């Protein structure tokens, strides 16, 4: 344990200095002598169990930029300058200096890379082979998950026809601070994420000791999410189906003991739908007393739909805040759950014109969301009818999970022409479909330190 603490303190200091920039001026000093590198399986597992670093510290700028909420002018004015600018999709200066959201995400990646470098130096014995596999699989999963979160914020929607030349993100695959940071292509970025997740899927346990650790259903579920963002629908279906095969539990919103309807936050953390647990360290701009739920979205819930009371709290002034996250507190859930899997598989059935199967998956989910005996099952007559309903239900069920930004980007590539609008001080701000601003600017201090190309605006 002493070795782990010493190593973490030292690496955290190095990360703070370099911000993963490969900036030479910070590398002239020799490392502190006598620093121990984790070299046993329990020590490596200890690094991966850093809950505060790897489970509840996700970047959340995609949710700030999205449209499931709005701010009043007074609430907007109460925010720091960067969040005010981010809310109205300004072209630059969206992150403070130092750029903590970017550097924190890459700092977390350091843990996964440390494990992947160290574990191959440990010979797996028959008695430890299962643990060796699982630890390596966890590291692959965590690295892929972080790269995907970063890519969703700082790169545009994946487009197969241009991916080899489109800007992706820096893929730091080493703990070597001397390695310079440079931007990989969108194709390289997504290939690495998929390769890591497929490696993880082959190594992980089916049932983890806790849902804060990755597992086979988590890897399959995240693969499905990645392929959905790429509009690789056959592959999305394949892995959503695999994940459901591993875990298909759905909460019954009528009577689940894991739901406390009168609580400030009704859903208990680690509930039966959760496959992998992760959160955004929620910024003040998204707290539910401030972030008002889109009024059209709120009105789209039927009075017999239990989500209308479980997901929303009245502000006693005609507006509502969101309280339905699977954290059981103010955190915004970004993990993998079975509800998302059923919605993905329903959408993919519809896209393949398997309309009966699409209805079965959607109905299986929604009957658990409505007051018992009131739900009327869907029957689809056309592919477009099915997609319209499924995508509507996807937005309703998965709001405030850092998925809406991803959905807007990939659906606009399908021609949905979703534009976003904000009104502040009676002035309207618009983000047009497929705008270059759907890739947030990389923090200016990182661009200055590394010389990487900035996202075009």
């Amino acid at each position: 344990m002493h070795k782990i603490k010493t190593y973490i303190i030292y690496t955290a200091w190095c990360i703070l200095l370099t911000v993963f920039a490969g900036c030479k001026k910070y590398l002239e000093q020799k490392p502190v002598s006598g620093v121990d590198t984790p070299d046993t399986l329990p020590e490596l597992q200890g690094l991966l169990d850093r809950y505060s670093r790897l489970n509840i510290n996700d970047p959340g700028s995609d949710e700030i930029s999205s449209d499931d909420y709005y701010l009043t002018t007074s609430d907007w004015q109460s925010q720091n300058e960067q969040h005010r600018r981010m809310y109205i999709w300004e072209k630059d200066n969206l992150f403070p200096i130092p750029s903590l959201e970017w550097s924190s995400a890459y700092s977390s990646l350091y843990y996964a890379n440390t494990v992947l470098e160290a574990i191959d130096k440990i010979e797996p014995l028959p008695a430890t082979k299962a643990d060796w596999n699982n630890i390596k699989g966890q590291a692959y999963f965590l690295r892929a998950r972080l790269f995907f979160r970063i890519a969703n914020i700082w790169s545009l929607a994946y487009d197969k026809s241009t991916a080899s030349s489109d800007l992706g993100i820096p893929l730091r695959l080493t703990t070597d601070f001397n390695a310079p940071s440079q931007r990989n292509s969108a194709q390289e970025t997504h290939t690495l994420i998929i390769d890591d997740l497929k490696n993880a899927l082959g190594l992980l346990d089916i049932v983890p000791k806790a849902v804060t650790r990755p597992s086979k259903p988590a890897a399959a579920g995240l693969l499905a999410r990645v392929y959905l963002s790429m509009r690789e629908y056959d592959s999305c279906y394949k892995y959503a189906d695999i994940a459901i095969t591993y875990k298909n539990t759905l909460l019954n919103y009528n009577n689940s003991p894991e739901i406390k309807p009168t609580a400030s936050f009704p859903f208990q953390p680690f509930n039966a739908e959760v496959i992998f647990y992760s959160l955004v360290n929620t910024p003040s701009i998204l707290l539910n007393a401030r972030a008002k739920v889109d009024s059209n979205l709120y009105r789209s819930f039927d009075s017999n739909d239990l989500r209308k009371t479980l997901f929303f709290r009245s502000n006693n002034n005609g507006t509502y805040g969101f309280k339905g996250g699977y954290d059981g507190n103010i955190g915004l859930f970004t993990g993998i759950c079975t509800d998302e899997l059923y919605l993905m598989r329903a959408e993919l059935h519809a896209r393949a014109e398997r309309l009966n199967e699409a209805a079965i998956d959607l109905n299986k989910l929604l009957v658990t969301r409505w007051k018992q005996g009131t739900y009327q099952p869907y029957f689809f007559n056309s592919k477009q009818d099915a997609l319209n309903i499924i995508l509507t239900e996807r937005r309703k069920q998965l709001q405030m999970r850092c998925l809406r930004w991803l959905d807007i980007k990939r659906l606009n590539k399908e021609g949905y022409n979703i534009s976003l609008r904000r009104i502040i001080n009676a002035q309207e701000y618009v983000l047009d479909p497929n705008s270059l601003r759907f890739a947030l600017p990389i923090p200016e201090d990182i661009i200055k330190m590394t010389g990487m190309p900035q996202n075009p605006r």
Side-chain angles (χ1 to χ4, degrees), residues 99-259:
S99 46
L100 296 180
E101 188 163 74
W102 174 277
S103 61
S104 179
Y106 276 95
S107 297
S108 298
L109 279 163
Y110 192 90
Y111 286 72
N113 283 331
T114 296
V115 172
L116 289 171
E117 288 181 2
I119 196 162
D120 284 334
K121 300 173 185 177
I122 301 173
E123 182 180 356
L125 303 173
T128 60
K129 180 65 173 177
D131 287 341
W132 190 96
N133 284 342
N134 190 40
I135 289 168
K136 190 171 187 179
Q138 290 176 60
Y140 275 128
F141 175 92
L142 292 169
R143 186 168 73 176
R145 193 184 77 81
L146 285 162
F147 277 141
F148 186 58
R149 290 288 302 126
I150 295 165
N152 190 40
I153 294 171
W154 284 288
S155 62
L156 293 170
Y158 182 87
D159 188 325
K160 185 176 182 179
S161 65
T162 59
S164 61
S165 58
D166 288 344
L167 288 171
I169 62 172
L171 297 175
R172 294 199 63 90
L173 307 178
T174 176
T175 59
D176 180 5
F177 289 108
N178 289 287
S181 289
Q182 57 187 18
R183 294 194 73 169
N184 294 80
S185 70
Q187 184 64 63
E188 291 167 334
T189 298
H190 286 79
T191 296
L192 188 280
I193 291 168
I194 289 168
D195 286 347
D196 273 3
L197 287 173
K198 287 181 177 178
N199 286 332
L201 184 60
L203 293 166
L204 287 166
D205 293 341
I206 295 175
V207 180
K209 289 186 177 179
V211 293
T212 53
R213 289 186 182 179
S215 61
K216 283 187 187 295
L222 187 51
L223 268 167
R225 185 187 288 178
V226 172
Y227 277 123
L228 186 69
S229 76
M230 299 169 68
R231 297 177 292 130
E232 296 283 352
Y233 294 128
D234 288 344
S235 294
C236 176
Y237 174 80
K238 173 183 176 181
Y239 288 102
D241 191 57
I242 289 172
I244 289 172
T245 299
Y246 285 129
K247 180 166 181 175
N248 58 16
T249 308
L250 290 170
L251 295 172
N252 188 328
Y253 283 14
N254 286 277
N255 52 27
S256 171
E258 296 178 295
I259 301 173

Side-chain angles (χ1 to χ4, degrees), residues 1 11 25 64 136 177 185 303 316 334 357 428:
M1 181 60 70
T11 55
K25 67 179 180 179
I64 295 174
K136 190 171 187 179
F177 289 108
S185 70
S303 60
N316 298 315
T334 58
E357 290 87 343
E428 184 178 57

Side-chain angles (χ1 to χ4, degrees), residues 263-388:
S264 297
F265 298 94
F267 294 92
Q268 301 302 295
F270 315 130
N271 68 61
E273 284 188 8
V274 175
I275 297 171
F276 178 77
Y277 183 87
S278 59
L279 305 175
V280 168
N281 188 2
T282 306
S284 65
I285 192 172
L286 293 176
L287 294 178
N288 68 2
R290 183 172 293 119
K292 311 297 191 294
V293 176
D294 178 91
S295 57
N296 291 324
L297 180 60
Y298 175 77
R299 287 194 294 268
S300 71
F301 288 84
D302 187 275
S303 60
N304 287 315
D305 190 331
L306 294 165
R307 294 174 294 184
K308 194 161 191 173
T309 54
L310 293 175
F311 280 12
F312 308 113
R313 48 160 275 182
S314 172
N315 293 320
N316 298 315
N317 61 4
T319 69
Y320 294 85
F322 180 76
K323 64 175 184 177
Y326 276 13
D327 172 40
N329 210 308
I330 63 173
L332 296 184
F333 186 84
T334 58
I336 308 293
C337 281
T338 52
D339 57 354
E340 181 188 359
L341 299 179
Y342 277 102
L343 287 161
M344 283 194 287
R345 196 169 71 172
E347 179 181 338
L348 275 299
H349 279 311
R351 290 186 180 278
E353 300 193 66
R354 298 186 293 265
L355 301 184
N356 185 55
E357 290 87 343
I360 289 171
D361 272 346
L362 185 63
N363 290 331
K364 183 169 184 177
L365 171 68
L366 292 183
V367 73
T368 67
R369 316 285 105 149
W370 283 55
K371 291 179 183 178
Q372 195 159 348
T374 65
Y375 179 67
Q376 297 297 314
Y378 281 110
F379 298 94
F380 301 133
N381 297 314
S382 70
K383 172 181 175 179
Q384 195 56 54
D385 176 48
L387 283 174
N388 289 343

Side-chain angles (χ1 to χ4, degrees), residues 61 64-65 76 79-101 154 437 439-448 454-455 457:
S61 293
I64 295 174
S65 303
W76 178 79
Q79 297 304 298
N80 63 44
E81 180 183 1
Q82 288 77 26
H83 281 166
R84 290 199 304 269
R85 293 178 67 82
M86 189 177 293
Y87 180 77
I88 57 175
W89 311 296
E90 291 282 11
K91 66 178 182 178
D92 55 14
N93 296 315
L94 305 192
F95 300 94
I97 296 176
S99 46
L100 296 180
E101 188 163 74
W154 284 288
R437 297 188 190 188
L440 273 61
I442 291 175
E444 284 77 9
D445 59 326
I446 299 300
I447 296 297
K448 183 177 180 180
Q454 179 59 280
N455 287 325
R457 314 311 294 150

